[in-house]
Amino acid sequence: MKRKRIWTAGIIVLLLAVMFAVPEIYSYVTERNYESEEVAASEVPEGYETATLAGGCFWCMEPPFEKLKGVHSVVSGYTGGDVENPTYEEVSSGGTGHIESVQVYFDPEVISYEQILDVFWKQINPTDDEGQFVDRGYQYTTAVFYHNEQQKQTAEQSRRELGQSGRFDQDIVTPVVEAETFYRAEEYHQDYYKKNKLRYDYYRGNSGRDQYLEDTWGEDLKINLPKK
């Protein structure tokens, strides 16, 4: 009986090791050494507009938008820095000037840019200028990158309203800045929450993000927009 328990425990440990190690090994062998790729304007789906947003770990910024009706897709990447085609390792080390971001491709006839921003604010801590939750450093800070004058005005108004809402005790520090070259991150980062659900859930559950959002927004955290 004792030997059986030992074998069972050993199998469980082995399965856990495989669960966490295999995706990382696969990523390293197939993708981890690749550079990011610049996203050209011609790659934006026809009829869709682009919202570029930074909210800390880009793994956590994809799911809220991808579930919304009117959103074609969400791409994780890097922007704001000086290094061309940076790698994840370079960006995460904080030496490139880039920050982790996502590009949201949305149909303005179905969902507005203002609504996209409303969702964005409910994913982040806009009062933190040193990172987001467990991820620290400039590379994990927040920002709204506007693509035209209308987006700029809408984003600045949205930020003002958030600051005047009385929901936060500190100033809103998320900047509204002009969009720069956006680099699509390595493939293993795209839809990470789907490809590596157990690892993503473990990371997110221990990051402090969800607890902060629930404490800050309460029942208002619910997003009342049509889902796919």
Side-chain angles (χ1 to χ4, degrees):
M1 192 70 177
K2 182 177 180 181
R3 179 175 296 179
K4 184 178 180 180
R5 288 199 298 269
I6 293 174
W7 272 100
T8 300
I11 291 173
I12 292 173
V13 171
L14 180 61
L15 288 174
L16 288 172
V18 170
M19 179 184 73
F20 283 99
V22 169
E24 289 301 307
I25 294 173
Y26 175 79
S27 297
Y28 182 84
V29 172
T30 61
E31 301 288 351
R32 194 174 288 274
N33 292 324
Y34 291 4
E35 296 178 335
S36 56
E37 297 180 352
E38 180 178 343
V39 175
S42 60
E43 296 179 61
V44 177
E46 186 175 355
Y48 288 81
E49 293 185 8
T50 302
T52 302
L53 308 163
C57 173
F58 47 30
W59 296 346
C60 297
M61 295 301 292
E62 287 189 8
F65 296 105
E66 286 195 339
K67 299 172 183 177
L68 299 177
K69 187 175 182 180
V71 171
H72 178 280
S73 55
V74 183
V75 175
S76 286
Y78 321 112
T79 193
D82 301 320
V83 177
E84 294 184 2
N85 304 109
T87 65
Y88 174 72
E89 286 74 12
E90 290 173 335
V91 175
S92 61
S93 71
T96 67
H98 289 289
I99 57 178
E100 288 197 10
S101 311
V102 293
Q103 282 202 332
V104 182
Y105 305 128
F106 65 99
D107 183 349
E109 298 296 322
V110 180
I111 184 171
S112 68
Y113 184 62
E114 184 176 10
Q115 289 173 318
I116 292 289
L117 291 174
D118 288 342
V119 175
F120 171 68
W121 297 125
K122 292 183 178 181
Q123 311 307 316
I124 67 169
N125 176 357
T127 69
D128 189 349
D129 60 1
E130 296 183 353
Q132 285 291 283
F133 312 108
V134 73
D135 297 307
R136 312 312 299 165
Y138 174 77
Q139 64 272 32
Y140 295 110
T141 54
T142 63
V144 176
F145 294 91
Y146 63 85
H147 289 263
N148 52 53
E149 187 61 27
Q150 183 59 53
Q151 281 195 357
K152 178 182 179 181
Q153 294 178 13
T154 301
E156 290 179 340
Q157 177 64 25
S158 180
R159 184 179 62 180
R160 277 195 298 271
E161 292 176 356
L162 187 71
Q164 295 167 359
S165 68
R167 191 175 295 276
F168 301 94
D169 295 330
Q170 298 172 289
D171 293 337
I172 305 301
V173 297
T174 300
V176 174
V177 294
E178 187 173 4
E180 301 182 40
T181 302
F182 182 88
Y183 297 94
R184 177 187 173 95
E186 298 86 335
E187 188 58 34
Y188 72 94
H189 286 299
Q190 308 302 325
D191 288 327
Y192 192 88
Y193 73 103
K194 295 178 181 177
K195 296 174 181 176
N196 294 287
K197 186 178 185 306
L198 290 174
R199 290 179 60 84
Y200 170 76
D201 288 346
Y202 179 82
Y203 161 77
R204 174 138 192 166
N206 290 278
S207 69
R209 184 183 293 260
D210 290 331
Q211 181 177 349
Y212 170 84
L213 297 177
E214 290 168 5
D215 291 344
T216 301
W217 291 92
E219 293 191 6
D220 292 334
L221 183 60
K222 184 178 180 180
I223 298 171
N224 296 311
L225 290 172
K227 304 293 196 304
K228 293 179 180 177

